[in-house]
Amino acid sequence: MIKGFKEFIMRGNVIDLAVAVVIGAAFTSVVNAIVEGLINPLISLLFKAESLDSLTFQLGTATFAYGSIIGSVISFLAVAAVVYFVFVMPMNHFKERAEAKRKAGQPDPEEPETELTMLAQIRDLLAERGSTGAHRE
């Protein structure tokens, strides 16, 4: 029983998950700071409303607080926009550029050259010289 638990804990994906949770919590505070410090003031300039929570309507004895739903949707969209435009879009652009460089044959600066890649480059250069008329007499 202890052996199975130890194997479960020592799996890489459990550690990866724990790291993701910690990073996610830190990331959440960054996103919330951007939303609260930048996006919410911009929204309040547009709507000139102190709080949407006061928007309600009565139907019989029930009170429906549709303002809090609208506020939650706006908050969600603001968070999603910050995550996309500040983090996802630049990362996708970076990945596309790296992939384009890789396809063009340029080495990735983060990837160290190995002996195998250097030998492949030498082979390609020799093949190129051989096909461009290297027969000199």
Side-chain angles (χ1 to χ4, degrees):
M1 186 157 102
I2 298 287
K3 181 182 177 188
F5 179 73
K6 182 180 176 183
E7 288 175 5
F8 170 74
I9 292 299
M10 297 308 288
R11 282 189 204 157
N13 57 354
V14 172
I15 302 300
D16 291 343
L17 181 60
V19 169
V21 168
V22 171
I23 295 295
F27 184 72
T28 299
S29 68
V30 171
V31 171
N32 286 339
I34 292 171
V35 169
E36 290 172 12
L38 182 67
I39 303 299
N40 286 348
L42 290 174
I43 290 172
S44 68
L45 282 175
L46 295 174
F47 289 110
K48 305 252 189 245
E50 292 299 316
S51 174
L52 294 173
D53 293 339
S54 62
L55 298 176
T56 61
F57 71 90
Q58 292 277 149
L59 189 59
T61 59
T63 301
F64 295 92
Y66 68 93
S68 64
I69 296 171
I70 293 170
S72 294
V73 169
I74 290 171
S75 179
F76 169 77
L77 292 174
V79 168
V82 167
V83 168
Y84 180 76
F85 290 110
V86 175
F87 299 104
V88 174
M89 193 171 76
M91 187 57 71
N92 286 344
H93 182 69
F94 174 75
K95 286 180 181 178
E96 288 171 4
R97 287 183 59 197
E99 183 64 22
K101 284 182 180 179
R102 188 189 66 77
K103 285 184 179 179
Q106 295 178 1
D108 188 0
E110 294 179 12
E111 214 174 285
E113 280 198 57
T114 63
E115 292 175 6
L116 186 60
T117 56
M118 290 192 321
L119 288 172
Q121 290 171 355
I122 293 170
R123 178 202 62 213
D124 294 343
L125 286 172
L126 289 174
E128 185 179 304
R129 285 185 182 169
S131 66
T132 57
H135 300 295
R136 294 183 187 168
E137 296 180 35

